[in-house]
Structures are given as structure tokens and as C-alpha cells.
Amino acid sequence: MSEKNLQANKKNTGEKSANKMWGGHFDAGPDLLMEQINASISFDKKLYAQDIRGSIAHAQMLAKTGILAESEVVQIIAGLLEIKAEIDADEFEFSVALEDIHMNIEASLKEKIGDVAGKLHTARSRNDQVATAFRLYVRDALDGFDVLLQELQQALLTRAEEYADTIMPGFTHLQVAQPVTFGHHLLAYVEMFARDRRRLRDAREGMNECPLGAAALAGTSFPLDRQQTAASLGFREPTANSLDSVSDRDFALEFLSFATICANHLSRLGEEMVIWSSAQFAFVKLSDAFTSGSSIMPQKRNPDAAELVRAKSGRITGNLISLLMVMKGLTLAYNKDMQEDKEPVFAAEEHLTIAIRAMTGMLKDLTANKERMEQAAGHGYSTATDLADWLVRTLAMPFRQAHHVTGSIVRLAETRNCKLEELSLSEMQNIEPRITENIFSVLSVQHSVQSRTSFGGTAPDNVRKSIVTARGKYGL
């Protein structure tokens, strides 16, 4: 939204007057520096749609309970809808002097319908008004992220299906460990993002209580129907305690916690994209759409999108820490410190949205180098565990003994500078005489991945079954 009108209503800088919305007890207005630190309209105007939704629900309840006349509420709602249309069209003049989105809307409403606009604030405080609008915003954001994460999971499943048989090295400590399939590796991230979706649903369920009607901190003497306002705004129920209602920002912290964990998952995948696309690995090629060149080295293809996704996790984690520090020592109920709650949420929402969309795009566009992946899967004696398992299964050898025997065979291959399958049968029999020619049937990377058929294992048939399961389980 444009910033062009933020100063439109400011008076001469040498003239101070009390804010007409709350200044009855004040002879003079705030210092200009106080106005600057106190105003939040530059960022909380993002809440305009949620604020108007809350005001309409409040007005409708005031009419139903007889606190306001139906005719007054009709005027109020018509005025609010007109204001929303103006803001939607970027035709609304915001005023820094009016501090925030809530006072800006109220002042505009008075200009449109006169003194009846002042009745909208009956039985309501900015404290419960802000808390309600902010909850609505966070709830909307969580719903949006559920959709984005679904799309990311769908992209992962599509590529996992395509590469269900593609063999690659599996790593621990970034050292080649055992062969896996690329499809299986991608499915690991489907599970990570499924947990993120579960966390956001948990956060949504936990915050789905309506603070409207808690007023400043103590409730109100007016005969409100808080169940009505909660229901009309899609909340499960009203909040139970008026003090907690206006001072709670757990919902924002839970949103930021979800965002931080999700961003860290994206960062891990971003790191792998960077490694996989390097010349040293050459497992995948990222498209032109998500890479950049060098200003001096014409051969370069830099994985900038993956690197920036990786970096976003730091910023989002910082947003969480920022709000934790704001909230950690606050007494009940509302404190002005809590005005600092929105920018971390807005920033995290923006950065996480970009990161998810970028990662989804990269996954859709990448091309896997199947030959290079399979070649790399055989490095580092990655089928050593298959050899040990063969000793256990065929010779009834205790696993710890099989582990020792296999280690000796690996050491021999290292001294010969060859692969396990390139050792002769007699060389292996010098270490364990009972080994037979059949040992060579388990030393290929193809056999290794085909044999991992345990539930959740990497075998291609498992991958295909897991894709079908995931689509049903996660609504994909």
C-alpha cells in the first residue's frame, strides 16, 4: 500500500493540539518525537480489513442486544464498508497524528456519518479491538501458509515419483553412508513440511478464541453477547479472562515459532540445493529462473534463490526472538510495548511466503543428473552395511562380529584402492573363510536400495507406496 498519504493530515510542525480521539484529559498534544515513536499506522494499516470485520461484528452485536438502534448500526456498517473500499483502492488518507489504523478508521467514519460513529466504540476498548484484529490477521496468515505448504509438498511428491528409482548417496556427517533413492530423500521433506502444517493447525486451534468484549482489561457493564461476536468472526468461543484477553500475544509467538521451524526446514533443503548443484557434486541443475550469473566469471551459475531461502531462516528466527524479548517481563494487562508485536509477525510472514514460493519453484524446475548420483552412491564403501547384514543373515554371525569383519574387509579395499566388489573372493576369505561367491550379489548400490524394504525404507516400491499414502494422509 502506498505511503503517499501518511503525512496528509499533519498540522504545522510548530503547533501542538491534543488528540481529539483520546485527549480530553490533555491540554496539549504530544511532542513530535513522541508522535513519531507512538504512531504505528505505517505498519499496522495492514490490519485494516480485519479491524473493519471486527467492528462490523461488534456493531451487529450492539444492535442485537439493544445497546444501539438498528438504524444507527446500518449507518455504521455502510460507512465501514465505504472506508474499506477506499483503502482497497489506495484512496484513503492515513494520518500519523491519529496513531494507528483503528483511530484512522474511526475518524474517517465520523467524517462520513457524523456523531453516530462514536457509538461504535461503546463497550469496546482499543485493547480488545487490537487484540481481535491481530488474531484475525494471524489466523488468516496461518490459513494462507497451509495452502502454500500443500503446494510445496505436492511439488516434492511429483519429483519423488519421477525419481523413485534414482539412486544417490545417503549421508551422515556429510559423508557417504548408504545408498538411497532420490525419491526417498525428497519424501523426507514431505514429512518435515507435514509437521509444519500440523504446527500451524495447532496454533490456529489454540488461538481461535475471540477477545472482543474484554474492553480495556476488566470487561464491561454493558450486556454484551460475546458468543455472537465470536461466532460471527469464526472464532470457536470468546476468551475466558478479560485481563488475559488483552495482554495475550501467545498466538503471535506461536505463529513465529511455526514460521521459525518451517524456515529452518526450508534452510536445510536450501543448503542441500546449494551442495547438490555445485560442480563438485553435480547432482542437480537449477533452472535459469532461480539462479544468477557472475559479473566477472561467465561460466558461473549461482544458486542464489537457494542461498536466500537459507538466509531467510535467520531473519525469521530473529523476529521470534524479538517478540519474546518484548513480552518476557510485561505486567498485566496491556502495555505499549505490545505495539512492537506486529512488525515481527508481518516481516516473518513476508519472508516465509517468499521462501516457500521460491523453494516450490526450484523443485518444479530442477533436473537430476541420475548417472552422476548413482556413481557417487558407490563411493565411500557405501554398501559395507549390506556386507555386514549378509554375514549376519547367511552365516548367523552376531552383528558386532559382522561389523568387525566388514571393517577389516573395508580396510583391505582401502589399501588396494578399490571398491568392495573389486576384491577377490579369496581376499575376503582370508578375513572370513566362510564367505562365499554369493557375497557379490549384495555389494551393488542397486541391490542395496532394492533390499531396504522395511517400513519407511528407501526401496523404490516403498517410495511409490509412500507417495500414495502421503497424498491421502496430507490431503494432496
Side-chain angles (χ1 to χ4, degrees), residues 420-433:
L420 290 176
E421 59 267 34
E422 292 173 345
L423 289 172
S424 68
L425 178 61
S426 61
E427 286 176 314
M428 286 191 271
Q429 287 175 334
N430 286 336
I431 295 171
E432 170 49 61

Side-chain angles (χ1 to χ4, degrees), residues 59-60 62-64 66-77:
Q60 289 170 333
L62 293 176
K64 182 182 177 183
I67 297 172
L68 294 187
E70 186 71 37
S71 59
E72 294 172 322
V73 170
V74 168
Q75 292 181 68
I76 289 170
I77 293 175

Side-chain angles (χ1 to χ4, degrees), residues 149 152-153 156-157 183-199 201 261 265 455-456 465-467 469-471 473-474 476:
L149 287 172
L152 177 56
Q153 286 180 300
L156 285 161
L157 287 174
H184 187 62
H185 195 117
L186 294 174
L187 286 179
Y189 285 99
V190 173
E191 296 302 314
M192 287 190 198
F193 296 123
R195 292 194 295 274
D196 291 326
R197 290 181 64 201
R198 185 200 69 215
R199 269 183 282 273
R201 288 193 297 269
I261 296 171
H265 289 158
F455 184 81
K465 290 175 184 176
S466 295
I467 290 168
T469 300
R471 285 183 171 141
K473 183 177 180 181
Y474 304 132
L476 305 170

Side-chain angles (χ1 to χ4, degrees), residues 394-448:
T394 306
L395 304 183
M397 187 180 289
F399 182 79
R400 286 303 173 199
Q401 182 183 349
H403 187 284
H404 180 78
V405 170
T406 300
S408 298
I409 293 173
V410 169
R411 186 167 62 251
L412 176 62
E414 288 176 334
T415 62
R416 297 280 194 277
N417 194 27
C418 67
K419 299 178 181 179
L420 290 176
E421 59 267 34
E422 292 173 345
L423 289 172
S424 68
L425 178 61
S426 61
E427 286 176 314
M428 286 191 271
Q429 287 175 334
N430 286 336
I431 295 171
E432 170 49 61
R434 292 178 294 166
I435 291 176
T436 69
E437 189 76 30
N438 183 254
I439 191 67
F440 293 101
S441 68
V442 304
L443 295 182
S444 71
V445 293
Q446 292 82 3
H447 176 275
S448 180

Side-chain angles (χ1 to χ4, degrees), residues 48-49 52-53 55-56 73-94 104-114 117 120:
Y48 78 91
I52 289 172
R53 281 165 60 192
S55 291
I56 289 174
V73 170
V74 168
Q75 292 181 68
I76 289 170
I77 293 175
L80 289 170
L81 293 175
E82 185 178 343
I83 292 168
K84 183 178 184 299
E86 290 176 2
I87 301 176
D88 287 341
D90 200 19
E91 296 172 353
F92 187 88
E93 292 188 352
F94 293 99
N104 269 264
I105 289 174
E106 185 173 338
S108 179
L109 185 64
K110 183 176 181 181
E111 290 178 2
K112 293 181 183 301
I113 67 172
L120 174 60

Side-chain angles (χ1 to χ4, degrees), residues 208-336:
N208 202 26
E209 300 175 348
C210 183
L212 198 56
L217 75 162
T220 178
S221 58
F222 287 93
L224 303 184
D225 186 345
R226 292 192 63 205
Q227 282 72 23
Q228 179 189 330
T229 48
S232 64
L233 291 170
F235 288 105
R236 183 180 64 252
E237 59 190 345
T239 50
N241 181 280
S242 59
L243 281 166
D244 182 57
S245 298
V246 298
S247 60
D248 168 39
R249 291 299 183 269
D250 287 0
F251 64 91
L253 290 169
E254 289 182 7
F255 170 82
L256 290 170
S257 297
F258 144 74
T260 296
I261 296 171
C262 182
N264 277 307
H265 289 158
L266 289 164
S267 180
R268 294 181 72 176
L269 183 50
E271 170 73 358
E272 298 209 292
M273 291 282 197
V274 170
I275 292 171
W276 292 343
S277 64
S278 68
Q280 291 76 12
F281 277 72
F283 287 178
V284 303
K285 181 179 180 181
L286 301 178
S287 73
D288 293 350
F290 293 98
T291 55
S292 70
S294 165
S295 62
I296 190 171
M297 295 169 285
Q299 83 283 7
K300 293 292 294 299
R301 179 187 290 271
N302 298 323
D304 285 4
E307 291 171 347
L308 289 167
V309 167
R310 187 175 60 187
K312 292 292 184 187
S313 66
R315 298 190 66 167
I316 294 170
T317 301
N319 295 138
L320 170 61
I321 300 303
S322 172
L323 187 54
L324 283 169
M325 294 302 98
V326 167
M327 297 301 299
K328 69 177 181 63
L330 297 187
T331 57
L332 296 179
Y334 181 81
N335 294 272
K336 194 67 172 182

Side-chain angles (χ1 to χ4, degrees), residues 169-179 281 376-377 379-382:
F171 299 92
T172 61
H173 310 277
L174 202 56
Q175 305 296 311
V176 174
Q178 292 179 274
F281 277 72
H379 292 169
Y381 307 102
S382 64

